[in-house]
């Protein structure tokens, strides 16, 4: 009976460790090939996907993949799905409307969010050209870019969002974050105490 228990225990351990034999185990280095499918975030400092789109192309993709939730004109749906346009200048009021045009600080952050999370029923399903096209359409319906603006990895940095100065820059440079105490104190006044 003792031998049976030992053999059963060893088979159980082998069964549990079998997945580790086929892939990297916790604590082991992982290859770039294993990381790249998960490393899809976009920031001002990261490489952007290669692609190209215009609001004219983006409108058709938006109507096909986004309008069911956000409405044909981007005005949202029954307070369930948010509006994507309007609200510029409303953030400091009693009824702020947080949209692509009024809230988001950079076009790269919009591109990142749409790439990772939209459309809701099929996230990460847009190819790079469709991604740039939809984002360019969202920027267009917020009067941020003209209708014929070609949005791509080279032109996106020239887009100036209305709320680009509405966020506190952490001062991240060379992987080191320095907290901007003075800027926070200026914005929050007596509510902020430096530790």
């Amino acid at each position: 009976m003792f031998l049976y228990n030992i053999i059963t225990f060893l088979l159980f351990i082998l069964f549990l460790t079998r997945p580790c034999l086929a892939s990297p185990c916790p604590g082991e280095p992982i290859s770039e090939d294993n990381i790249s499918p998960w490393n899809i975030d976009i920031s001002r400092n990261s490489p952007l996907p290669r692609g190209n789109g215009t609001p004219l192309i983006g409108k058709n993709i938006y109507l096909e993949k986004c309008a069911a939730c956000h409405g044909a004109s981007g005005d949202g749906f029954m307070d369930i799905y948010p509006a994507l346009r309007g609200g510029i200048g409303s953030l400091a009021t009693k009824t702020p409307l947080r949209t692509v045009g009024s809230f988001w600080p950079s076009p790269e952050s919009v591109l990142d969010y749409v790439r990772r999370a939209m459309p809701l029923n099929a996230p990460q399903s847009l190819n790079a050209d469709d991604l740039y096209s939809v984002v360019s359409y969202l920027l267009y319906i917020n009067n941020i870019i003209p209708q014929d603006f070609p949005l791509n990895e080279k032109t996106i940095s020239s887009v100036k969002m209305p709320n680009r100065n509405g966020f506190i820059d952490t001062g991240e440079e060379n992987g080191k974050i320095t907290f901007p105490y003075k800027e926070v104190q200026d914005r929050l006044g007596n509510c902020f105490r430096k530790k």
Side-chain angles (χ1 to χ4, degrees):
M1 183 69 172
F2 178 74
L3 185 59
Y4 174 77
N5 288 341
I6 295 241
I7 291 173
T8 304
F9 176 75
L10 291 174
L11 288 174
F12 180 71
I13 294 297
L14 182 63
F15 176 76
L16 288 178
T17 59
R18 186 169 180 212
C20 266
L21 300 176
S23 64
C25 290
E28 290 184 16
I30 188 168
S31 72
E32 273 300 317
D33 292 340
N34 287 337
I35 293 172
S36 61
W38 297 94
N39 189 16
I40 62 167
D41 61 317
I42 296 170
S43 71
R44 287 183 282 177
N45 301 327
S46 67
L48 297 170
R50 299 187 76 166
N52 194 43
T54 65
L56 291 173
I57 298 168
K59 181 178 182 179
N60 294 329
I61 299 165
Y62 175 88
L63 291 172
E64 178 188 336
K65 297 183 184 257
C66 313
C69 294
H70 296 285
S73 59
D75 292 322
F77 183 70
M78 295 176 51
D79 292 332
I80 298 170
Y81 299 103
L84 299 174
R85 69 183 190 115
I88 295 176
S90 72
L91 293 182
T93 68
K94 290 183 180 182
T95 56
L97 180 60
R98 293 177 184 95
T99 68
V100 169
S102 70
F103 183 72
W104 292 78
S106 71
E108 292 90 352
S109 59
V110 179
L111 194 74
D112 176 57
Y113 182 75
V114 173
R115 182 183 194 191
R116 288 185 292 113
M118 294 292 142
L120 188 60
N121 65 340
Q124 302 177 24
S125 64
L126 297 175
N127 66 42
D129 289 338
D130 289 353
L131 175 66
Y132 279 107
S133 296
V134 168
V135 170
S136 70
Y137 178 69
L138 296 176
L139 298 173
Y140 167 72
I141 63 175
N142 280 282
N143 299 312
I144 297 170
I145 62 170
Q147 190 173 23
D148 59 348
F149 187 85
L151 190 68
N152 56 52
E153 69 276 7
K154 293 177 183 157
T155 62
I156 195 167
S157 63
S158 69
V159 175
K160 302 297 180 211
M161 300 295 279
N163 195 35
R164 65 187 168 272
N165 297 323
F167 287 76
I168 296 171
D169 187 1
T170 61
E172 182 177 348
E173 291 181 24
N174 301 326
K176 186 176 182 181
I177 297 175
T178 57
F179 192 77
Y181 287 104
K182 175 78 172 114
E183 184 178 350
V184 172
Q185 193 168 23
D186 289 346
R187 289 189 185 194
L188 299 179
N190 293 334
C191 297
F192 178 76
R193 288 190 175 88
K194 184 176 176 182
K195 294 183 177 184

